[in-house]
Amino acid sequence: MDEEFDFSEPGPLCPACGTEMTQDGVDTAEGLESCHRCPRCKLVIVVPGLWTDEAK
C-alpha cells in the first residue's frame, strides 16, 4: 500500500446533505484544481490554487 495517500482521515461534511466528502481533482478553465466531492449528492467544492505553479 502506498504510504503517501492517507484516506483514513475524514473529509469535510457536505453542506447540502451532510455526507462525508472525498478529495478529488476537477478540470477547470484555469487547469486542474483540487476539490471535495460528495459521493451522495455529487456536490463539488473546488479548492482553488492548490495544484497551480504558484503554490509550489
Side-chain angles (χ1 to χ4, degrees):
M1 184 173 186
D2 196 0
E3 297 269 329
E4 72 181 73
F5 297 108
D6 183 14
F7 293 109
S8 62
E9 188 173 320
L13 296 180
C14 176
C17 70
T19 302
E20 182 180 321
M21 299 178 86
T22 58
Q23 291 184 353
D24 201 353
V26 64
D27 194 20
T28 68
E30 300 296 319
L32 186 62
E33 297 283 355
S34 178
C35 72
H36 296 292
R37 185 179 306 270
C38 178
R40 182 174 179 207
C41 70
K42 310 302 184 209
L43 177 75
V44 174
I45 299 174
V46 176
V47 182
L50 189 60
W51 292 348
T52 62
D53 290 335
E54 293 86 28
K56 292 181 181 177

Short mmCIF file of all heavy atoms in Angstrom, two decimals:
data_model
loop_
_atom_site.label_atom_id
_atom_site.label_comp_id
_atom_site.label_asym_id
_atom_site.label_seq_id
_atom_site.Cartn_x
_atom_site.Cartn_y
_atom_site.Cartn_z
N MET A 1 0.84 -1.17 0.00
CA MET A 1 0.00 0.00 0.00
C MET A 1 0.89 1.24 0.00
O MET A 1 1.86 1.31 0.73
CB MET A 1 -0.92 -0.01 1.21
CG MET A 1 -1.88 1.13 1.24
SD MET A 1 -3.03 0.86 2.62
CE MET A 1 -4.11 2.20 2.31
N ASP A 2 0.55 2.24 -0.80
CA ASP A 2 1.34 3.46 -0.90
C ASP A 2 1.10 4.33 0.33
O ASP A 2 -0.02 4.70 0.64
CB ASP A 2 0.94 4.21 -2.17
CG ASP A 2 1.95 5.26 -2.55
OD1 ASP A 2 2.96 5.43 -1.84
OD2 ASP A 2 1.71 5.91 -3.56
N GLU A 3 2.17 4.71 1.02
CA GLU A 3 2.07 5.45 2.27
C GLU A 3 1.75 6.93 2.09
O GLU A 3 1.34 7.59 3.02
CB GLU A 3 3.38 5.32 3.05
CG GLU A 3 3.70 3.91 3.47
CD GLU A 3 3.14 3.59 4.83
OE1 GLU A 3 3.05 4.49 5.67
OE2 GLU A 3 2.80 2.43 5.05
N GLU A 4 1.94 7.50 0.88
CA GLU A 4 1.74 8.94 0.70
C GLU A 4 0.27 9.35 0.66
O GLU A 4 -0.05 10.51 0.81
CB GLU A 4 2.47 9.45 -0.53
CG GLU A 4 1.86 9.03 -1.85
CD GLU A 4 2.64 9.53 -3.04
OE1 GLU A 4 3.73 9.02 -3.29
OE2 GLU A 4 2.14 10.45 -3.70
N PHE A 5 -0.64 8.41 0.46
CA PHE A 5 -2.07 8.71 0.45
C PHE A 5 -2.70 8.16 1.72
O PHE A 5 -2.67 6.98 1.97
CB PHE A 5 -2.77 8.10 -0.77
CG PHE A 5 -2.27 8.66 -2.06
CD1 PHE A 5 -1.49 7.90 -2.90
CD2 PHE A 5 -2.59 9.94 -2.44
CE1 PHE A 5 -1.03 8.42 -4.09
CE2 PHE A 5 -2.13 10.47 -3.63
CZ PHE A 5 -1.35 9.71 -4.45
N ASP A 6 -3.28 9.05 2.53
CA ASP A 6 -3.93 8.64 3.77
C ASP A 6 -5.43 8.92 3.66
O ASP A 6 -5.87 10.03 3.88
CB ASP A 6 -3.33 9.39 4.96
CG ASP A 6 -3.93 8.93 6.28
OD1 ASP A 6 -4.58 7.87 6.30
OD2 ASP A 6 -3.74 9.62 7.28
N PHE A 7 -6.19 7.88 3.28
CA PHE A 7 -7.63 8.04 3.11
C PHE A 7 -8.39 7.78 4.41
O PHE A 7 -9.60 7.86 4.44
CB PHE A 7 -8.14 7.10 2.02
CG PHE A 7 -7.62 7.47 0.66
CD1 PHE A 7 -6.68 6.68 0.02
CD2 PHE A 7 -8.07 8.61 0.02
CE1 PHE A 7 -6.21 7.02 -1.22
CE2 PHE A 7 -7.59 8.97 -1.22
CZ PHE A 7 -6.66 8.16 -1.85
N SER A 8 -7.68 7.49 5.51
CA SER A 8 -8.35 7.22 6.77
C SER A 8 -8.79 8.52 7.45
O SER A 8 -9.66 8.50 8.31
CB SER A 8 -7.44 6.43 7.70
OG SER A 8 -6.27 7.18 7.99
N GLU A 9 -8.19 9.65 7.08
CA GLU A 9 -8.58 10.93 7.66
C GLU A 9 -9.92 11.36 7.08
O GLU A 9 -10.11 11.35 5.87
CB GLU A 9 -7.52 11.98 7.36
CG GLU A 9 -7.74 13.28 8.08
CD GLU A 9 -6.57 14.23 7.90
OE1 GLU A 9 -5.44 13.79 7.92
OE2 GLU A 9 -6.86 15.42 7.71
N PRO A 10 -10.86 11.73 7.94
CA PRO A 10 -12.18 12.10 7.44
C PRO A 10 -12.16 13.41 6.65
O PRO A 10 -11.38 14.31 6.95
CB PRO A 10 -13.03 12.25 8.70
CG PRO A 10 -12.05 12.49 9.79
CD PRO A 10 -10.77 11.80 9.38
N GLY A 11 -12.99 13.48 5.63
CA GLY A 11 -13.12 14.69 4.84
C GLY A 11 -14.17 15.61 5.43
O GLY A 11 -14.83 15.26 6.42
N PRO A 12 -14.35 16.78 4.83
CA PRO A 12 -15.37 17.70 5.32
C PRO A 12 -16.78 17.15 5.06
O PRO A 12 -16.97 16.32 4.18
CB PRO A 12 -15.12 18.98 4.52
CG PRO A 12 -14.46 18.52 3.27
CD PRO A 12 -13.64 17.31 3.66
N LEU A 13 -17.73 17.64 5.80
CA LEU A 13 -19.12 17.22 5.58
C LEU A 13 -19.73 18.07 4.48
O LEU A 13 -19.49 19.28 4.39
CB LEU A 13 -19.93 17.37 6.87
CG LEU A 13 -19.51 16.48 8.02
CD1 LEU A 13 -20.40 16.73 9.23
CD2 LEU A 13 -19.52 15.02 7.64
N CYS A 14 -20.53 17.44 3.64
CA CYS A 14 -21.21 18.13 2.55
C CYS A 14 -22.21 19.13 3.13
O CYS A 14 -23.03 18.77 3.97
CB CYS A 14 -21.94 17.12 1.67
SG CYS A 14 -22.92 17.86 0.35
N PRO A 15 -22.16 20.39 2.69
CA PRO A 15 -23.11 21.38 3.21
C PRO A 15 -24.55 21.13 2.76
O PRO A 15 -25.48 21.63 3.37
CB PRO A 15 -22.59 22.71 2.67
CG PRO A 15 -21.72 22.37 1.52
CD PRO A 15 -21.20 20.98 1.77
N ALA A 16 -24.73 20.35 1.70
CA ALA A 16 -26.08 20.09 1.18
C ALA A 16 -26.77 18.90 1.87
O ALA A 16 -27.95 18.97 2.18
CB ALA A 16 -26.03 19.85 -0.32
N CYS A 17 -26.00 17.81 2.10
CA CYS A 17 -26.66 16.61 2.62
C CYS A 17 -26.00 16.03 3.87
O CYS A 17 -26.54 15.10 4.46
CB CYS A 17 -26.75 15.55 1.53
SG CYS A 17 -25.15 14.82 1.08
N GLY A 18 -24.82 16.53 4.26
CA GLY A 18 -24.17 16.06 5.48
C GLY A 18 -23.30 14.83 5.34
O GLY A 18 -22.75 14.36 6.32
N THR A 19 -23.15 14.30 4.13
CA THR A 19 -22.32 13.12 3.90
C THR A 19 -20.85 13.53 3.86
O THR A 19 -20.51 14.62 3.42
CB THR A 19 -22.70 12.47 2.55
OG1 THR A 19 -24.08 12.13 2.57
CG2 THR A 19 -21.88 11.22 2.27
N GLU A 20 -19.95 12.65 4.32
CA GLU A 20 -18.51 12.93 4.28
C GLU A 20 -18.05 13.02 2.82
O GLU A 20 -18.32 12.14 2.01
CB GLU A 20 -17.74 11.83 4.99
CG GLU A 20 -16.26 12.08 5.04
CD GLU A 20 -15.52 10.97 5.75
OE1 GLU A 20 -16.02 10.46 6.77
OE2 GLU A 20 -14.44 10.62 5.27
N MET A 21 -17.36 14.11 2.49
CA MET A 21 -16.88 14.33 1.12
C MET A 21 -15.49 13.70 0.95
O MET A 21 -14.76 13.50 1.91
CB MET A 21 -16.82 15.83 0.83
CG MET A 21 -18.18 16.50 0.93
SD MET A 21 -18.11 18.26 0.63
CE MET A 21 -18.25 18.26 -1.16
N THR A 22 -15.14 13.38 -0.29
CA THR A 22 -13.84 12.80 -0.61
C THR A 22 -13.03 13.80 -1.41
O THR A 22 -13.57 14.66 -2.10
CB THR A 22 -14.00 11.51 -1.43
OG1 THR A 22 -14.71 11.81 -2.63
CG2 THR A 22 -14.75 10.46 -0.65
N GLN A 23 -11.69 13.68 -1.33
CA GLN A 23 -10.82 14.55 -2.12
C GLN A 23 -10.76 14.02 -3.54
O GLN A 23 -10.77 12.83 -3.78
CB GLN A 23 -9.42 14.57 -1.52
CG GLN A 23 -9.37 15.27 -0.19
CD GLN A 23 -7.95 15.36 0.35
OE1 GLN A 23 -7.02 14.80 -0.20
NE2 GLN A 23 -7.80 16.09 1.43
N ASP A 24 -10.69 14.96 -4.49
CA ASP A 24 -10.68 14.60 -5.90
C ASP A 24 -10.02 15.73 -6.67
O ASP A 24 -9.55 16.70 -6.07
CB ASP A 24 -12.13 14.40 -6.38
CG ASP A 24 -12.21 13.56 -7.65
OD1 ASP A 24 -11.16 13.23 -8.23
OD2 ASP A 24 -13.33 13.23 -8.06
N GLY A 25 -9.98 15.63 -7.96
CA GLY A 25 -9.48 16.68 -8.83
C GLY A 25 -10.52 16.97 -9.89
O GLY A 25 -11.28 16.09 -10.29
N VAL A 26 -10.58 18.22 -10.33
CA VAL A 26 -11.54 18.62 -11.35
C VAL A 26 -10.83 19.53 -12.35
O VAL A 26 -10.00 20.35 -11.97
CB VAL A 26 -12.79 19.29 -10.73
CG1 VAL A 26 -12.44 20.58 -10.04
CG2 VAL A 26 -13.89 19.49 -11.74
N ASP A 27 -11.12 19.35 -13.63
CA ASP A 27 -10.53 20.18 -14.67
C ASP A 27 -11.38 21.43 -14.84
O ASP A 27 -12.57 21.35 -15.11
CB ASP A 27 -10.47 19.39 -15.98
CG ASP A 27 -9.58 20.04 -17.00
OD1 ASP A 27 -8.73 20.86 -16.61
OD2 ASP A 27 -9.72 19.73 -18.20
N THR A 28 -10.77 22.60 -14.65
CA THR A 28 -11.47 23.87 -14.78
C THR A 28 -10.84 24.67 -15.92
O THR A 28 -9.86 24.24 -16.51
CB THR A 28 -11.39 24.70 -13.48
OG1 THR A 28 -10.03 25.10 -13.29
CG2 THR A 28 -11.86 23.91 -12.28
N ALA A 29 -11.37 25.85 -16.20
CA ALA A 29 -10.80 26.73 -17.22
C ALA A 29 -9.39 27.15 -16.84
O ALA A 29 -8.57 27.47 -17.71
CB ALA A 29 -11.69 27.95 -17.41
N GLU A 30 -9.08 27.16 -15.54
CA GLU A 30 -7.75 27.53 -15.05
C GLU A 30 -6.79 26.35 -15.01
O GLU A 30 -5.63 26.51 -14.66
CB GLU A 30 -7.87 28.14 -13.65
CG GLU A 30 -8.73 29.38 -13.60
CD GLU A 30 -8.15 30.52 -14.40
OE1 GLU A 30 -6.91 30.72 -14.35
OE2 GLU A 30 -8.93 31.20 -15.09
N GLY A 31 -7.27 25.14 -15.30
CA GLY A 31 -6.45 23.93 -15.23
C GLY A 31 -6.98 22.99 -14.17
O GLY A 31 -8.09 23.14 -13.67
N LEU A 32 -6.16 22.00 -13.80
CA LEU A 32 -6.57 21.02 -12.81
C LEU A 32 -6.57 21.65 -11.42
O LEU A 32 -5.61 22.30 -11.02
CB LEU A 32 -5.61 19.83 -12.83
CG LEU A 32 -5.97 18.64 -11.97
CD1 LEU A 32 -7.30 18.03 -12.41
CD2 LEU A 32 -4.89 17.59 -12.02
N GLU A 33 -7.67 21.49 -10.71
CA GLU A 33 -7.81 22.04 -9.36
C GLU A 33 -8.23 20.92 -8.40
O GLU A 33 -8.88 19.96 -8.80
CB GLU A 33 -8.90 23.13 -9.32
CG GLU A 33 -8.62 24.34 -10.15
CD GLU A 33 -7.61 25.30 -9.54
OE1 GLU A 33 -7.19 25.08 -8.38
OE2 GLU A 33 -7.25 26.26 -10.21
N SER A 34 -7.84 21.06 -7.16
CA SER A 34 -8.26 20.12 -6.13
C SER A 34 -9.70 20.43 -5.76
O SER A 34 -10.14 21.57 -5.86
CB SER A 34 -7.36 20.27 -4.90
OG SER A 34 -7.78 19.42 -3.87
N CYS A 35 -10.43 19.41 -5.34
CA CYS A 35 -11.82 19.64 -4.92
C CYS A 35 -12.23 18.60 -3.90
O CYS A 35 -11.54 17.61 -3.69
CB CYS A 35 -12.76 19.61 -6.12
SG CYS A 35 -13.03 17.97 -6.83
N HIS A 36 -13.35 18.84 -3.27
CA HIS A 36 -14.01 17.87 -2.42
C HIS A 36 -15.32 17.51 -3.13
O HIS A 36 -16.04 18.39 -3.58
CB HIS A 36 -14.31 18.46 -1.04
CG HIS A 36 -13.10 18.82 -0.27
ND1 HIS A 36 -12.22 17.88 0.22
CD2 HIS A 36 -12.60 20.01 0.10
CE1 HIS A 36 -11.25 18.49 0.86
NE2 HIS A 36 -11.45 19.79 0.79
N ARG A 37 -15.59 16.20 -3.25
CA ARG A 37 -16.77 15.73 -3.98
C ARG A 37 -17.63 14.87 -3.06
O ARG A 37 -17.13 14.00 -2.36
CB ARG A 37 -16.33 14.91 -5.19
CG ARG A 37 -17.44 14.46 -6.09
CD ARG A 37 -16.91 13.67 -7.28
NE ARG A 37 -15.89 14.36 -8.02
CZ ARG A 37 -16.10 15.16 -9.06
NH1 ARG A 37 -17.33 15.38 -9.47
NH2 ARG A 37 -15.10 15.73 -9.69
N CYS A 38 -18.94 15.13 -3.06
CA CYS A 38 -19.88 14.35 -2.25
C CYS A 38 -20.30 13.11 -3.03
O CYS A 38 -20.83 13.23 -4.14
CB CYS A 38 -21.10 15.19 -1.90
SG CYS A 38 -22.33 14.26 -0.95
N PRO A 39 -20.10 11.92 -2.47
CA PRO A 39 -20.50 10.70 -3.18
C PRO A 39 -22.01 10.50 -3.24
O PRO A 39 -22.51 9.75 -4.07
CB PRO A 39 -19.83 9.58 -2.38
CG PRO A 39 -19.63 10.16 -1.02
CD PRO A 39 -19.43 11.65 -1.21
N ARG A 40 -22.74 11.20 -2.37
CA ARG A 40 -24.20 11.02 -2.32
C ARG A 40 -24.92 11.95 -3.30
O ARG A 40 -25.67 11.51 -4.16
CB ARG A 40 -24.71 11.24 -0.91
CG ARG A 40 -26.18 11.03 -0.77
CD ARG A 40 -26.60 11.11 0.67
NE ARG A 40 -28.03 10.92 0.79
CZ ARG A 40 -28.75 11.41 1.76
NH1 ARG A 40 -28.18 12.11 2.73
NH2 ARG A 40 -30.04 11.21 1.79
N CYS A 41 -24.69 13.28 -3.16
CA CYS A 41 -25.45 14.23 -4.00
C CYS A 41 -24.61 14.83 -5.13
O CYS A 41 -25.11 15.63 -5.89
CB CYS A 41 -26.05 15.33 -3.13
SG CYS A 41 -24.85 16.49 -2.44
N LYS A 42 -23.32 14.44 -5.20
CA LYS A 42 -22.41 14.85 -6.28
C LYS A 42 -22.02 16.33 -6.24
O LYS A 42 -21.48 16.85 -7.21
CB LYS A 42 -22.98 14.51 -7.67
CG LYS A 42 -23.45 13.10 -7.83
CD LYS A 42 -22.35 12.10 -7.57
CE LYS A 42 -22.87 10.70 -7.84
NZ LYS A 42 -22.23 9.69 -7.06
N LEU A 43 -22.25 17.03 -5.13
CA LEU A 43 -21.81 18.40 -4.99
C LEU A 43 -20.28 18.45 -5.02
O LEU A 43 -19.62 17.59 -4.43
CB LEU A 43 -22.32 18.99 -3.67
CG LEU A 43 -21.87 20.42 -3.37
CD1 LEU A 43 -22.65 21.40 -4.22
CD2 LEU A 43 -22.05 20.73 -1.91
N VAL A 44 -19.71 19.44 -5.71
CA VAL A 44 -18.27 19.59 -5.80
C VAL A 44 -17.89 20.97 -5.27
O VAL A 44 -18.48 21.98 -5.67
CB VAL A 44 -17.78 19.44 -7.26
CG1 VAL A 44 -16.30 19.75 -7.36
CG2 VAL A 44 -18.08 18.05 -7.77
N ILE A 45 -16.93 21.01 -4.35
CA ILE A 45 -16.40 22.27 -3.84
C ILE A 45 -14.94 22.35 -4.30
O ILE A 45 -14.12 21.52 -3.91
CB ILE A 45 -16.48 22.33 -2.31
CG1 ILE A 45 -17.94 22.24 -1.86
CG2 ILE A 45 -15.83 23.62 -1.79
CD1 ILE A 45 -18.11 22.14 -0.37
N VAL A 46 -14.63 23.33 -5.14
CA VAL A 46 -13.29 23.49 -5.69
C VAL A 46 -12.41 24.22 -4.68
O VAL A 46 -12.83 25.19 -4.06
CB VAL A 46 -13.33 24.25 -7.03
CG1 VAL A 46 -11.93 24.50 -7.56
CG2 VAL A 46 -14.16 23.49 -8.05
N VAL A 47 -11.18 23.74 -4.51
CA VAL A 47 -10.18 24.38 -3.66
C VAL A 47 -9.18 25.04 -4.60
O VAL A 47 -8.24 24.39 -5.06
CB VAL A 47 -9.49 23.34 -2.74
CG1 VAL A 47 -8.50 24.03 -1.81
CG2 VAL A 47 -10.51 22.54 -1.96
N PRO A 48 -9.38 26.32 -4.96
CA PRO A 48 -8.56 26.94 -5.98
C PRO A 48 -7.11 27.14 -5.55
O PRO A 48 -6.82 27.39 -4.39
CB PRO A 48 -9.23 28.30 -6.20
CG PRO A 48 -9.99 28.56 -4.97
CD PRO A 48 -10.37 27.23 -4.40
N GLY A 49 -6.21 26.98 -6.54
CA GLY A 49 -4.81 27.28 -6.33
C GLY A 49 -3.98 26.18 -5.71
O GLY A 49 -2.78 26.34 -5.57
N LEU A 50 -4.56 25.06 -5.31
CA LEU A 50 -3.79 24.03 -4.64
C LEU A 50 -2.78 23.36 -5.57
O LEU A 50 -1.68 23.06 -5.16
CB LEU A 50 -4.73 22.99 -4.04
CG LEU A 50 -4.09 21.96 -3.14
CD1 LEU A 50 -3.41 22.62 -1.94
CD2 LEU A 50 -5.11 20.95 -2.65
N TRP A 51 -3.13 23.16 -6.85
CA TRP A 51 -2.24 22.47 -7.77
C TRP A 51 -1.61 23.38 -8.80
O TRP A 51 -1.11 22.93 -9.80
CB TRP A 51 -2.98 21.34 -8.47
CG TRP A 51 -3.37 20.23 -7.55
CD1 TRP A 51 -2.95 20.03 -6.27
CD2 TRP A 51 -4.27 19.16 -7.82
NE1 TRP A 51 -3.54 18.92 -5.75
CE2 TRP A 51 -4.34 18.36 -6.67
CE3 TRP A 51 -5.00 18.80 -8.92
CZ2 TRP A 51 -5.14 17.23 -6.61
CZ3 TRP A 51 -5.79 17.66 -8.85
CH2 TRP A 51 -5.84 16.88 -7.70
N THR A 52 -1.64 24.69 -8.60
CA THR A 52 -1.06 25.61 -9.57
C THR A 52 0.43 25.76 -9.36
O THR A 52 0.97 25.39 -8.31
CB THR A 52 -1.72 27.00 -9.46
OG1 THR A 52 -1.46 27.52 -8.16
CG2 THR A 52 -3.21 26.94 -9.71
N ASP A 53 1.11 26.34 -10.32
CA ASP A 53 2.56 26.58 -10.22
C ASP A 53 2.91 27.53 -9.09
O ASP A 53 3.96 27.43 -8.48
CB ASP A 53 3.11 27.11 -11.54
CG ASP A 53 3.09 26.04 -12.63
OD1 ASP A 53 3.13 24.84 -12.28
OD2 ASP A 53 3.05 26.41 -13.82
N GLU A 54 2.02 28.49 -8.79
CA GLU A 54 2.28 29.45 -7.74
C GLU A 54 2.30 28.79 -6.37
O GLU A 54 2.90 29.30 -5.43
CB GLU A 54 1.23 30.57 -7.74
CG GLU A 54 1.28 31.47 -8.95
CD GLU A 54 0.46 30.91 -10.12
OE1 GLU A 54 -0.52 30.19 -9.89
OE2 GLU A 54 0.83 31.20 -11.27
N ALA A 55 1.60 27.67 -6.20
CA ALA A 55 1.51 27.01 -4.91
C ALA A 55 2.77 26.19 -4.59
O ALA A 55 2.96 25.76 -3.47
CB ALA A 55 0.29 26.10 -4.86
N LYS A 56 3.61 25.95 -5.57
CA LYS A 56 4.82 25.12 -5.36
C LYS A 56 5.89 25.87 -4.65
O LYS A 56 6.05 27.01 -4.67
CB LYS A 56 5.33 24.62 -6.70
CG LYS A 56 4.38 23.62 -7.32
CD LYS A 56 4.94 23.13 -8.62
CE LYS A 56 3.98 22.15 -9.25
NZ LYS A 56 4.43 21.71 -10.54
#
